[in-house]
Amino acid sequence: MRIITVILVTIFSSCSLLFAQKYETNLGDLKNIEEISEYKVVFEYDSLLKIPNYDSEASFIAFQVDKRERKTRGSGIMFKQQWYGNRKSVYEPEFIKEFNNFKLKKRQINIGKENPKANHTMVITTSFIYPGYDATVWGEDTKLEVTISVYKNDSKETILYETKIVKIHGRPSSDEFERVKTAYGELGRATSKHFCRKT
């Protein structure tokens, strides 16, 4: 019975990942960014970032800090530091690494925070994070919602291409920050595939 449960969970997770990686155009057109092979990448986090079951990101952080401090002094503060600090030190590098790892023979795109070859900027804006949870029998993966937009460096106000909200799942892990990391990795690979195949 346990083996069957594991198999079903695996199948469900795989299907969720495939279903989630859908890129639809909101502004501009993919034709506007055809043959662009170098991007500077910028990461933004919505000031009204949504987290399920909480009124705001601030209320989520306050709850998590208080819960952890009650168990182990200092652990709540550490959680808060990691929640914000991991963006630049873990999640964004993971996105960039996985994006650049995907290449087609006829199409290769490179991104970087510092990219002197790039005349265009790709902006990854996160508007929703569900950290997920780990349980002995049944856990739940991280979920992200982001939008991706592109503009020419000297014309920031003109959006060449922008997606509607893209939904991505992470992969199972007992560590909540590792779950978020895998979600940004999935996002990086999926985004690279989208750009390489469609432009």
Side-chain angles (χ1 to χ4, degrees), residues 42-190:
V42 173
F43 295 86
E44 296 182 352
Y45 301 86
D46 198 308
S47 59
L48 299 176
L49 182 72
K50 296 177 182 178
I51 299 178
N53 304 318
Y54 295 89
D55 294 333
S56 64
E57 183 180 23
S59 63
F60 166 76
I61 294 296
F63 176 82
Q64 296 297 330
V65 169
D66 181 66
K67 180 179 73 173
R68 285 165 171 74
E69 287 295 321
R70 288 174 184 271
K71 292 181 179 180
T72 307
R73 186 175 180 180
S75 62
I77 302 303
M78 182 177 295
F79 173 87
K80 183 176 181 179
Q81 292 172 341
Q82 287 182 290
W83 178 261
Y84 292 111
N86 281 356
R87 292 175 177 178
K88 290 186 180 298
S89 65
V90 179
Y91 310 146
E92 295 169 13
E94 184 71 6
F95 176 95
I96 293 170
K97 181 188 77 174
E98 294 299 334
F99 186 105
N100 289 335
N101 279 346
F102 179 82
K103 300 181 185 299
L104 299 175
K105 288 183 178 180
K106 295 182 178 180
R107 186 75 167 117
Q108 298 181 358
I109 300 176
N110 296 300
I111 63 171
K113 288 188 174 182
E114 301 294 333
N115 190 349
K117 297 180 181 179
N119 294 317
H120 295 80
T121 296
M122 179 186 300
V123 183
I124 312 299
T125 303
T126 303
S127 58
F128 173 101
I129 297 178
Y130 173 61
Y133 63 91
D134 178 64
T136 303
V137 179
W138 188 274
E140 196 164 357
D141 303 336
T142 291
K143 298 179 181 69
L144 301 178
E145 291 185 6
V146 305
T147 55
I148 300 153
S149 56
V150 173
Y151 58 81
K152 195 171 183 180
N153 293 350
D154 59 3
S155 187
K156 186 176 180 178
E157 68 283 355
T158 303
I159 300 299
L160 300 176
Y161 171 71
E162 181 179 271
T163 67
K164 293 181 180 179
I165 290 175
V166 178
K167 299 180 180 181
I168 295 288
H169 289 221
R171 294 192 178 278
S173 174
S174 59
D175 181 86
E176 56 208 323
F177 296 119
E178 181 64 22
R179 290 195 298 272
V180 178
K181 175 185 174 181
T182 66
Y184 276 98
E186 292 290 340
L187 178 64
R189 283 192 294 276

Side-chain angles (χ1 to χ4, degrees), residues 9-65:
V9 170
T10 302
I11 293 172
F12 177 78
S13 298
S14 299
C15 291
S16 297
L17 285 167
L18 291 171
F19 176 77
Q21 296 168 2
K22 187 175 182 180
Y23 291 71
E24 296 180 320
T25 302
N26 183 47
L27 294 173
D29 196 299
L30 284 166
K31 292 180 180 179
N32 295 335
I33 59 173
E34 286 181 345
E35 299 183 4
I36 298 173
S37 59
E38 299 285 344
Y39 289 94
K40 175 183 177 181
V41 65
V42 173
F43 295 86
E44 296 182 352
Y45 301 86
D46 198 308
S47 59
L48 299 176
L49 182 72
K50 296 177 182 178
I51 299 178
N53 304 318
Y54 295 89
D55 294 333
S56 64
E57 183 180 23
S59 63
F60 166 76
I61 294 296
F63 176 82
Q64 296 297 330
V65 169

